[in-house]
Amino acid sequence: MAEQTTPQTAPRRSGGLVSTLTVELHSHYAIRLWEGRNRSDEKSKAEKRPKILGMPEAMSRAGFAGRDAAAGNPYGDELLVKLEEAIKLATQKVEEQVKKIETITAAIPAGITISEVTSSEPLNLDVFSRSPLGYRCVWLLVHYDQLALKAFRAFHYGLISRSQRDDFLEKGSKAIRVVYGLIQNYRTVPVTYEDIRHKTARGLAAIERLGEPDPAVMSGKKRSSFSPLSAVTSEDD
């Protein structure tokens, strides 16, 4: 009787993971920060307005920095470190303003109920970022959107003055613009840690253009918690 064998089957694997993210923005203030502003074409210097980065471009540049960091570029790693710290600080500042408004709103007399405020036609956005820090930028903007809604609600019901409302809005938007300003100047320069350490032609050109990278980043002591695995090695390795 002939021996029979069971055919080998290929190991079964699941398909790629997929997910989608949709964001609703309700205030014009948050929407303007999302869209940014192009540089004015006015001829008069007094009338010209500088470009303001928008969220899509901010996410894109954060993605470029992540890609550069993964390729062993110290400037990419350095931006991720600065960006994570800036987003954390900006989020704290926005949340501080939210808590101040909530404290004021909580002082209304008993028996009064004020509903949350929303837009009748919010802006719905499908969001995709190549960097986790890009999504963290979006979370920051959503926090600001909530701050704006609470500020306008408090002003509408006479709980804060117009100047107080504008102060809340300005402090929150300023925190986001600081993050934008950090990302706005980032440019990809083809260089690696080894180029910087060994002062190659590429390394010297990068240093001349961007300055010396942070020594703590170069040594690997300072890393963003969202930095990809990259070719960070010490000089003794």
Side-chain angles (χ1 to χ4, degrees):
M1 184 174 179
E3 182 178 352
Q4 294 183 346
T5 59
T6 302
Q8 294 288 331
T9 59
R12 307 177 89 179
R13 301 184 63 182
S14 63
L17 301 178
V18 295
S19 178
T20 58
L21 174 67
T22 302
V23 170
E24 279 190 356
L25 295 179
H26 294 261
S27 70
H28 291 302
Y29 283 77
I31 292 172
R32 285 203 295 265
L33 283 171
W34 173 275
E35 294 174 341
R37 184 180 71 198
N38 291 326
R39 189 184 305 276
S40 172
D41 294 327
E42 299 292 339
K43 293 182 180 180
S44 170
K45 289 185 178 180
E47 296 176 344
K48 283 188 175 181
R49 298 182 303 173
K51 176 179 179 179
I52 297 178
L53 205 67
M55 184 59 71
E57 189 173 355
M59 289 190 294
S60 177
R61 296 196 183 192
F64 293 156
R67 176 201 62 191
D68 293 345
N73 184 322
Y75 296 101
D77 269 326
E78 186 170 5
L79 180 71
L80 295 184
V81 169
K82 291 179 178 179
L83 183 55
E84 183 178 2
E85 292 174 348
I87 292 173
K88 182 178 179 180
L89 180 59
T91 301
Q92 290 174 347
K93 289 183 176 181
V94 172
E95 288 179 343
E96 286 173 3
Q97 301 307 309
V98 169
K99 289 178 180 178
K100 288 180 180 179
I101 296 179
E102 289 178 340
T103 299
I104 294 172
T105 306
I108 61 175
I112 296 178
T113 301
I114 301 177
S115 67
E116 295 294 331
V117 60
T118 60
S119 171
S120 58
E121 295 183 10
L123 179 64
N124 291 286
L125 300 161
D126 293 324
V127 177
F128 173 76
S129 173
R130 297 185 183 278
S131 166
L133 285 173
Y135 288 117
R136 291 289 291 270
C137 288
V138 176
W139 307 152
L140 172 60
L141 183 59
V142 172
H143 276 300
Y144 176 71
D145 190 40
Q146 293 301 309
L147 169 63
L149 296 180
K150 291 177 183 296
F152 274 101
R153 182 183 66 166
F155 170 69
H156 176 76
Y157 289 111
L159 298 171
I160 60 174
S161 67
R162 185 183 301 275
S163 62
Q164 285 177 303
R165 180 201 68 185
D166 293 345
D167 185 56
F168 281 122
L169 295 170
E170 173 59 25
K171 286 180 178 178
S173 64
K174 182 179 179 180
I176 295 176
R177 292 197 301 271
V178 168
V179 174
Y180 279 178
L182 186 65
I183 305 175
Q184 187 164 2
N185 296 323
Y186 183 76
R187 298 292 185 276
T188 295
V189 174
V191 69
T192 66
Y193 282 88
E194 292 307 305
D195 286 325
I196 299 295
R197 292 191 182 105
H198 298 297
K199 298 297 188 290
T200 66
R202 290 200 311 179
L204 292 173
I207 292 172
E208 182 178 358
R209 180 177 176 183
L210 303 175
E212 290 276 359
D214 185 340
V217 171
M218 287 296 299
S219 67
K221 293 179 180 178
K222 186 183 289 186
R223 297 272 289 168
S224 166
S225 54
F226 297 100
S227 288
L229 296 175
S230 60
V232 181
T233 55
S234 67
E235 295 180 354
D236 296 332
D237 289 346

